Amino acid sequence: MMPNVDGFELIKRLRQDSSTRSIPVVLLSARAGDEAKVEGLESGADDYLVKPFSAKELVARVRTHVELGTLRRNLEARTEQLAWTNDELRHSETKYRSVTSLVPVAIIQVKADNTTIAFANEMWHKYEKAYTSKNDESMLNWVEFLLSFGGDHGTQYVQEWLQTAKQQIPYVAELVSSSSTSSSVLTSSSSSSLLVHGIPFSTTGYILAMTDITEQRILEQEKLAAVTKAEALQRQRASEAEQHRQQQEVFVDMICHEVRNPLNGILNNADLLVTSLQARKSTLNGLLLKASTDTDHLDHPCPMTPLFHSTRDELVQQCNWDDESINSILACVRHQQVVTNDVLELS
């Protein structure tokens, strides 16, 4: 017998206290029978042993319940740890979903079968609606999306994807839509381009991120067209400049030839004038010499002698002036010939 409280009251108090709730309790009682045993177990006891009993049986039962208690405490601690982990996972998943819903990139998680989509953000659903002909609320799997989006190239895209997933290596692909039912999310272009990056997660599948690069490709094409047009315009201008240069050369050659012809005429006539002037000077000198000799034989000076000398001097001076003028003309003509020849050589 126990003082103050009996066994049932002790069990009740132990179970009410959180620090002693997990202590295993074995009831030792002289009351036999199923009803007494059921009453003891329902009161919270872990075991019920009827007197008389052997010490070995008692030790064995106590050892068993101590081990079970230890296992129970470890299980409870493990359960609490798992519950905390589950809470953290749910919190992380909530943050992950919130973050992926904000980014302008379609993100999906493909399971290990390389087909089923385990997770998809809001942008993916927009892509799925815009790039495929799906009308119901069900979500396509990844292979179905590749086939629907790729059109004529869909089978090739699927084969490349499965080969990459089999090797468990990063996946990078640019998918171009060839279907008339596909339209870009960002532009009104009927042909769309998606840049896909994927990383494998051990045996759990792939994480794929897709970006619509249709606008970028359109800008690149426009830039290429502008560069091509600018190059063509530059070649056209270069051709026109070359034609202009050739026309200038032809014009310069023509002008030079047109200038050389009268220059040659002036030069030839100037040479004739030089020859004629020299002949006239020689004749004049002979006449003057004869006239001077005849005058010297006269007994009386001729009254015309001063006039004669004056006229002679004037004629000689005039011939000298004519000679200088012709030489100046020849010098100018020869200079113009040199200039014209230089221009022709440079052109």
Side-chain angles (χ1 to χ4, degrees):
M1 298 296 294
M2 297 176 58
N4 300 326
V5 295
D6 58 8
F8 294 109
E9 182 64 23
L10 177 61
I11 293 173
K12 181 179 179 181
R13 294 182 181 181
L14 289 174
R15 295 296 182 251
Q16 290 176 347
D17 191 344
S18 59
S19 62
T20 59
R21 184 178 297 126
S22 61
I23 296 176
V25 176
V26 179
L27 279 178
L28 305 178
S29 177
R31 298 174 57 191
D34 293 337
E35 293 182 0
K37 186 174 182 180
V38 170
E39 183 183 2
L41 294 175
E42 287 181 349
S43 66
D46 294 281
D47 202 353
Y48 190 92
L49 191 58
V50 180
K51 299 177 183 178
F53 50 82
S54 65
K56 290 183 179 180
E57 182 181 4
L58 177 60
V59 171
R61 286 177 180 259
V62 170
R63 181 183 296 112
T64 299
H65 287 294
V66 169
E67 293 175 354
L68 289 175
T70 302
L71 292 175
R72 188 182 299 111
R73 287 192 297 273
N74 292 338
L75 180 60
E76 290 176 353
R78 180 60 177 169
T79 302
E80 292 178 358
Q81 179 65 30
L82 289 175
W84 181 85
T85 303
N86 288 334
D87 290 339
E88 288 295 318
L89 288 175
R90 283 193 294 269
H91 182 62
S92 298
E93 182 180 358
T94 301
K95 291 195 298 183
Y96 176 71
R97 289 181 179 274
S98 299
V99 171
T100 56
S101 65
L102 296 176
V103 296
V105 177
I107 300 175
I108 62 173
Q109 178 185 355
V110 181
K111 291 185 178 180
D113 61 3
N114 301 324
T115 300
T116 306
I117 297 177
F119 168 79
N121 68 345
E122 292 298 325
M123 186 59 70
W124 161 259
H125 294 295
K126 293 181 180 179
Y127 280 17
E128 186 182 28
K129 182 178 180 181
Y131 297 138
T132 66
S133 56
K134 185 180 73 68
N135 297 321
D136 55 11
E137 297 297 328
S138 62
M139 185 169 61
L140 296 176
N141 62 46
W142 176 235
V143 173
E144 290 174 341
F145 178 83
L146 290 176
L147 291 173
S148 179
F149 177 82
D152 298 336
H153 304 293
T155 303
Q156 177 185 349
Y157 292 158
V158 171
Q159 291 176 351
E160 292 174 353
W161 156 250
L162 293 178
Q163 183 178 3
T164 302
K166 182 179 180 180
Q167 299 176 5
Q168 286 290 295
I169 58 177
Y171 175 69
V172 179
E174 181 175 343
L175 310 178
V176 179
S177 170
S178 60
S179 174
S180 59
T181 59
S182 173
S183 60
S184 173
V185 172
L186 300 178
T187 67
S188 59
S189 174
S190 60
S191 178
S192 305
S193 297
L194 290 180
L195 183 61
V196 185
H197 289 85
I199 54 174
F201 271 9
S202 184
T203 58
T204 60
Y206 269 76
I207 294 292
L208 300 177
M210 283 156 281
T211 306
D212 189 330
I213 59 172
T214 305
E215 186 175 7
Q216 177 182 344
R217 291 292 179 257
I218 292 175
L219 292 176
E220 290 175 354
Q221 293 175 1
E222 292 177 351
K223 181 179 180 181
L224 179 61
V227 171
T228 303
K229 183 178 179 180
E231 291 177 349
L233 182 60
Q234 184 177 4
R235 288 193 296 269
Q236 180 182 356
R237 290 177 176 175
S239 177
E240 292 175 352
E242 179 63 21
Q243 293 178 359
H244 182 66
R245 186 188 65 81
Q246 293 177 358
Q247 292 175 355
Q248 283 184 333
E249 290 182 354
V250 173
F251 178 75
V252 169
D253 292 344
M254 181 183 67
I255 293 298
C256 289
H257 286 296
E258 292 296 329
V259 171
R260 290 178 66 181
N261 290 332
L263 287 178
N264 290 332
I266 295 173
L267 183 63
N268 293 332
N269 289 319
D271 289 338
L272 291 176
L273 289 175
V274 169
T275 303
S276 177
L277 182 60
Q278 289 176 352
R280 281 184 290 172
K281 287 174 67 176
S282 177
T283 301
L284 179 60
N285 289 330
L287 292 174
L288 293 175
L289 179 61
K290 185 175 183 305
S292 177
T293 303
D294 292 340
T295 303
D296 292 338
H297 289 87
L298 294 176
D299 294 335
H300 301 285
C302 179
M304 297 297 293
T305 299
L307 178 61
F308 171 76
H309 287 290
S310 174
T311 302
R312 182 196 61 184
D313 295 338
E314 290 179 0
L315 290 175
V316 172
Q317 184 66 34
Q318 187 66 43
C319 287
N320 291 333
W321 286 346
D322 292 343
D323 192 18
E324 292 178 359
S325 298
I326 293 174
N327 289 332
S328 298
I329 292 174
L330 288 174
C332 292
V333 170
R334 290 192 178 94
H335 176 71
Q336 292 299 320
Q337 281 186 324
V338 171
V339 172
T340 304
N341 293 333
D342 291 342
V343 173
L344 285 174
E345 290 179 1
L346 292 175
S347 61

